[in-house]
Amino acid sequence: MATTAWFDRVAFGPEWGERARAAVRAGGQAVVMTAAAAVGLAVPVLAAVFTGVVAFHLFSGGALVPYCLAALSMALVWTVSTYWFVRHGAAWTRRRVERRAAQPWVVVYSPRETLEQDPRGFWWTGHSYHRGHEVARAVQFVQWAVRDPQIRREALWLVANPAGLLVLVLPFLGLVAGGVVSLWAAGWLLHDMFGQLGGYMKAVGTGLFGVGLVVAGLSGLPAGVQRHGVWACRVLGDGPRQSRAQLTERVAHLTETRADAVDAQAAELRRIERDLHDGAQARLVTIGLTLGAVEHLMGTDREAAMELLAEAREASAKALQELRDLVRGIHPPVLAERGLPDAVRELALTAVVPTEVTVSLPGRPEAALETAVYFSVSELLANAAKHARARHAWVDVLYRAGRLRVVVTDDGHGGARMEADGGLRGIEKRLGTFDGTISLDSPVGGPTTIMMELPCALSSPRISTSSAKV
């Protein structure tokens, strides 16, 4: 994780590195999806044709018999193989959508009735009688497969899947394939016309055109694959959703985080009350007593009164500074006025460890979430200087797919752990209030990379992307 974060920061930046990896993954998925859709359509037809040819040659003794047997064999093989691809193709698509959505896709099929035997020995399938048990089971299975709405959706998906790929995915794959062909042609031109200026320029132009096609295709593949997943949900019905166990776990997690938030709020109120009582309030009381003494000394000892007034003025300045520090500890003014990017940059400018900040945030999260992230970053930078003895730190603030991601990296000695009563566990509880998570990668010897992710919505389309170094 630390190496990946360093590569993103040095080579392309976190945004471009993440986009490149997503495009490559989407390209691989698109190739596999296209191949699976083609196999699902072609294999049943090829299997039926092969079976028909074999049956025709095996039973070639009469005029009509071989043709009838070949036709029956082809129909049977095509039906069985198509049904297999219908069920397994739909199941594979659901698993792919499940992995992308990180939620299970619950599928409900209609129940199959139990076979009943009447006193005469015939088996009742629910629609017809049959003497043989196996025949009755086969007929009942066919009736169930034809009538079940979910099976019909899956059969429709066998045709709708290639259609969706043709519209949503294959155009971008075509761009990538065209770019690869152009690059191959550029290499051929460069080799064939080596030393000729016109051939060299033509090869360069063809290569640049190929690179453009590849970039355009890879840029559109993630969106195409995602829209194909939405298309699959519409055709196959419903879509990924949380199970009852997941919902129960979710409720328990929210209950725990709500209790942590209430405890944290109560502790914060006690801290504010203690700071006011021991700090500004005590100084104000001292100023009042000093001014009372000045009032008595003005007529008798003017010099002593002036000294006391100077002390009162100094005490009032200290009380004002303590009140400002207290307000900054509750909600920093720069955070309220300018948002999270500038607040994090201010932390970098005032941090003990030289810190580089990269922000890509198209808008502002809600105020409470900004505050939680701000104090989490502040505590992590303080830990980097105090415990890790780092010489340099990096803070990356990114917003991707509805989630705010904050990565704090330092080059200290590492070895950080998520202890029960440690500061990292406190940050985890603070982020848990907003359904956020924290992950730690801190091998002995360093570096330490801490990533925080929180789901959130942004309120403004304004984009802020910049860096700050100290």
Side-chain angles (χ1 to χ4, degrees):
M1 182 182 295
T3 305
T4 303
W6 178 87
F7 176 80
D8 288 343
R9 189 168 52 250
V10 174
F12 304 103
E15 177 180 358
W16 291 104
E18 184 67 25
R19 287 184 178 180
R21 286 192 294 270
V24 172
R25 287 195 299 267
Q29 291 178 2
V31 172
V32 174
M33 290 158 53
T34 303
V39 168
L41 289 176
V43 169
V45 175
L46 295 177
V49 171
F50 178 78
T51 304
V53 172
V54 172
F56 180 81
H57 284 286
L58 288 178
F59 304 96
S60 57
L64 297 177
V65 172
Y67 295 100
C68 295
L69 291 177
L72 290 174
S73 302
M74 291 176 65
L76 179 62
V77 170
W78 181 85
T79 302
V80 173
S81 57
T82 299
Y83 177 78
W84 190 91
F85 278 102
V86 162
R87 297 299 303 274
H88 287 79
W92 180 79
T93 301
R94 291 192 192 97
R95 288 194 297 269
R96 181 175 58 81
V97 177
E98 281 179 345
R99 287 193 298 269
R100 190 176 185 88
Q103 291 181 354
W105 188 337
V106 180
V107 182
V108 179
Y109 296 96
S110 59
R112 293 170 59 182
E113 298 179 1
T114 305
L115 290 174
E116 298 180 358
Q117 190 176 24
D118 65 2
R120 299 175 301 166
F122 288 89
W123 293 93
W124 171 247
T125 64
H127 298 85
S128 58
Y129 287 98
H130 298 274
R131 182 175 294 277
H133 182 264
E134 297 300 327
V135 175
R137 285 184 58 185
V139 171
Q140 184 195 47
F141 177 80
V142 172
Q143 292 173 347
W144 169 80
V146 171
R147 295 175 180 273
D148 184 74
Q150 190 60 47
I151 298 294
R152 291 201 296 266
R153 286 178 175 270
E154 293 176 354
L156 177 62
W157 178 244
L158 188 67
V159 180
N161 182 24
L165 289 172
L166 183 64
V167 175
L168 302 172
V169 177
L170 287 183
F172 300 108
L173 277 182
L175 289 177
V176 175
V180 172
V181 172
S182 297
L183 290 174
W184 176 83
W188 180 82
L189 287 172
L190 191 63
H191 179 269
D192 191 59
M193 300 183 178
F194 183 76
Q196 301 180 22
L197 180 60
Y200 177 76
M201 297 301 296
K202 185 181 293 186
V204 172
T206 305
L208 291 177
F209 179 71
V211 170
L213 288 180
V214 171
V215 171
L218 289 178
S219 300
L221 275 174
V225 171
Q226 183 177 5
R227 292 191 183 98
H228 186 267
V230 176
W231 171 243
C233 293
R234 291 181 178 178
V235 175
L236 293 174
D238 294 331
R241 55 188 176 185
Q242 292 181 329
S243 62
R244 183 180 297 273
Q246 288 179 313
L247 292 175
T248 303
E249 182 181 358
R250 172 75 172 153
V251 170
H253 175 70
L254 291 176
T255 303
E256 181 181 357
T257 54
R258 184 181 64 179
D260 292 337
V262 172
D263 294 341
Q265 184 180 19
E268 186 68 12
L269 290 175
R270 289 193 297 269
R271 182 188 68 82
I272 295 172
E273 181 181 6
R274 183 177 64 252
D275 291 345
L276 286 173
H277 182 271
D278 298 340
Q281 179 179 338
R283 292 192 183 277
L284 291 176
V285 171
T286 302
I287 292 172
L289 295 175
T290 302
L291 291 178
V294 169
E295 184 179 2
H296 289 291
L297 292 174
M298 286 298 293
T300 58
D301 191 347
R302 195 173 184 81
E303 293 182 1
M306 295 299 293
E307 292 178 1
L308 290 176
L309 282 175
E311 292 179 2
R313 183 171 59 251
E314 183 179 354
S316 66
K318 291 182 178 179
L320 180 60
Q321 184 61 40
E322 289 179 354
L323 287 174
R324 287 175 177 171
D325 293 339
L326 182 62
V327 171
R328 189 176 293 108
I330 299 173
H331 194 75
V334 66
L335 184 62
E337 296 171 3
R338 303 180 63 86
L340 185 62
D342 288 336
V344 174
R345 294 186 192 107
E346 185 191 42
L347 284 177
L349 292 171
T350 57
V352 178
V353 179
T355 303
E356 178 181 345
V357 176
T358 301
V359 180
S360 178
L361 192 60
R364 289 194 63 173
E366 57 179 303
L369 188 143
E370 279 189 326
T371 304
V373 172
Y374 172 85
F375 285 111
S376 299
V377 173
S378 176
E379 185 171 349
L380 291 176
L381 291 179
N383 291 342
K386 182 178 179 181
H387 301 295
R389 303 183 184 223
R391 292 174 295 177
H392 204 93
W394 299 266
V395 180
D396 300 326
V397 182
L398 311 171
Y399 184 79
R400 297 289 178 274
R403 298 183 71 85
L404 178 64
R405 179 185 300 174
V406 182
V407 182
V408 180
T409 308
D410 66 72
D411 59 357
H413 55 67
R417 296 291 181 269
M418 296 281 289
E419 299 178 354
D421 298 327
L424 293 178
R425 191 65 67 182
I427 293 176
E428 183 181 36
K429 292 182 178 180
R430 181 186 294 147
L431 300 180
T433 306
F434 303 93
D435 211 14
T437 60
I438 180 173
S439 60
L440 171 66
D441 181 22
S442 182
V444 176
T448 296
T449 301
I450 300 173
M451 183 170 66
M452 301 174 286
E453 281 193 335
L454 303 95
C456 67
L458 303 183
S459 60
S460 172
R462 180 178 62 86
I463 298 176
S464 174
T465 304
S466 62
S467 300
K469 297 182 180 179
V470 180

